[in-house]
Amino acid sequence: MFENESELEKHIRELLNRALAGDARFMLLRSKKVADIVVCREGSSPAIFFIEVKLCKANMRTGIGSPGGKGFQPEIVQRRPKYLEDHMLWLLCDQEKGLYVVADTEVISKYPVGSSIGPKQNNISPRILKEKELLGEDDLVNEVLAFLNQE
């Protein structure tokens, strides 16, 4: 399905661009730092939304951050800033099945490999793909649209 996370991110961007076409309130930014996809909502209720995309390959680690526990992702999962709790979504794709888990940071924080997020290479446990509902693309898009339209 997807060879790497860059291909998956490109695919998710294409899905979102199609789903949001014609809705002038939304703008997908091309640049990224905090998360893979940043969506700005304009209009009477402006907001910024962050979408982190992860490709979960069989027998491979699904890392968050960089070695040594550095980067935005481990800090977000560990410290749980309120705005990002409410405005960040994680999309995990099971490479073998081509299905997705949609999770907020609270859910992600319950699935670290090992007992916690810390000064190490942090990874998301593959258990999440077995314990959470797997969605097809249509349901994935509907979940993301509901997230982007929250007040």
Side-chain angles (χ1 to χ4, degrees):
M1 174 144 238
F2 303 105
E3 289 297 315
N4 56 51
E5 210 161 270
S6 294
E7 287 181 13
L8 173 61
E9 179 190 332
K10 181 180 177 189
H11 180 70
I12 297 295
R13 283 179 175 278
E14 289 169 358
L15 289 174
L16 293 177
N17 277 322
R18 279 196 303 266
L20 296 171
D23 191 335
R25 294 177 305 151
F26 294 102
M27 176 188 327
L28 270 70
L29 300 183
R30 289 183 290 274
S31 298
K32 58 184 183 177
K33 273 290 185 209
V34 174
D36 292 320
I37 300 171
V38 178
V39 181
C40 296
R41 183 178 68 203
E42 303 294 335
S44 61
S45 181
I48 300 174
F49 298 93
F50 303 91
I51 301 172
E52 184 59 35
V53 177
K54 295 292 180 190
L55 181 60
C56 303
K57 296 180 177 184
N59 303 316
M60 300 273 301
R61 295 177 181 202
T62 302
I64 58 172
S66 56
K70 304 265 191 267
F72 284 109
Q73 296 168 3
E75 186 172 11
I76 289 167
V77 174
Q78 189 174 46
R79 298 184 67 197
R80 314 271 298 276
K82 175 70 173 137
Y83 192 86
L84 291 174
E85 281 287 310
D86 295 341
H87 293 88
M88 185 167 184
L89 203 60
W90 300 70
L91 308 181
L92 286 70
C93 179
D94 182 322
Q95 185 187 36
E96 289 182 348
K97 296 178 182 171
L99 298 173
Y100 300 87
V101 168
V102 177
D104 59 17
T105 301
E106 180 180 2
V107 169
I108 296 298
S109 73
K110 295 177 182 176
Y111 287 92
V113 170
S115 60
S116 64
I117 301 295
K120 60 181 175 67
Q121 175 59 54
N122 294 288
N123 299 289
I124 300 170
S125 172
R127 287 183 304 115
I128 197 168
L129 299 175
K130 294 178 176 70
E131 297 177 4
K132 294 296 175 187
E133 180 182 10
L134 295 173
L135 304 174
E137 283 188 353
D138 290 342
D139 291 329
L140 168 77
V141 169
N142 289 336
E143 289 280 327
V144 173
L145 291 177
F147 169 72
L148 296 174
N149 281 293
Q150 71 180 337
E151 291 298 320

